[in-house]
Amino acid sequence: MITEIPTPEDFRHAGLSLLNLAWDAVSSMYLDLENSQVEEWDEKGEATGEFWRSAQRPLANAVVVAQQGIEFLLKARIAEVTPLLLISTQPRDWPSRCDREDTAFAEFRTIDAQDLVKFHDAVHPQRLEDTFRTKFQRFRALRNSIMHTVDKRLWHSAHELCVQVLEASHALIGSYKWLELRRDYLQSIPVAAVYDEYEPTWQLSWEACLLLEILTHAEGTRYLGVQAKQRYYICYQCTVNLRDSDLQPKTAQLHPNGPASVRIYCFVCERDDAVVRRPCSEATCKGNVIQEEDSVCLSCFNEVAR
Ligand SMILES: [Zn+2]
Ligand SMILES: [Zn+2]
């Protein structure tokens, strides 16, 4: 009998862990760039260009890792139908004596990466979208060239890598799931195991703000569910959770969008909050969206007289 058969959850866990590893790499590059304050004095963009030039090898590594993660997520979906489908070869090529002795699943050869999408769409009740299929093939080709040669013409973009991860999360896990998956991952990193106070809120909010900066409007809507052309306000809950940090993430939007709207939603903490509409009392602030309970302006975060 075939033993030690992995569950869809096992594959998903392996895949998400790799996607997060790739994401960590990109996120830390953006953080370094911000902390070095290069962009503030680098008017011609020369130093910033140099930064990304020097980032090419780590970015290429991250592409490889992310692609590996995506393949695991595809296997997870195939395994939802049944994990045994992943065994690709004819019984005659199976491990010898597997009919006589218990043999672990890992001893069997599984489907080649290049066939995963086709195989998935043949067996899974929900076929993949064309956008994902196209991106997957492109990144697979890119991964192969990274693995097999040093092609100096290749240029790896951090933005594109983020989109690769977000598209995979969208297509293989579900809409607007990445930040939730990211939170779960950050809550499982080694420091979280030994330090009770560890909270990934800062990292998550910082990354969410970064995404609003680097994604196109269409990408923001597709992957985060935000209304990209609509104004953003400081999320009260996220900012309170950030305590001592000076980050005030503008990750909340009115819904519906309108001058009379009294509800605000943050795509990071997923809280839907009540606001009142009256002008902020700060002379320099044009805000008119005030958090109801504590009377705080969500444009400048000052307390407003009631
Ligand atoms: Zn929030
Ligand atoms: Zn204000």
Side-chain angles (χ1 to χ4, degrees), residues 11 59 72 97 116-117 154 210 241 300:
F11 284 112
L59 280 173
F72 269 122
R97 300 193 59 79
L116 278 171
V117 167
L154 288 180
L210 171 71
N241 291 344
C300 69

Side-chain angles (χ1 to χ4, degrees), residues 94 104-105 111-112 118 126 168 295 301:
W94 288 1
F105 179 89
I111 304 176
D112 276 348
K118 181 176 183 185
Q126 257 180 316
S295 199
F301 222 70

Side-chain angles (χ1 to χ4, degrees), residues 35 45 60 80 88 115 118-119 124 158 185 254 266 275 289 291:
N35 286 340
E80 284 168 14
S88 64
D115 301 323
K118 181 176 183 185
F119 198 96
H124 198 278
Y185 172 81
L254 291 171
C266 164
V275 289
V289 175
Q291 200 269 348

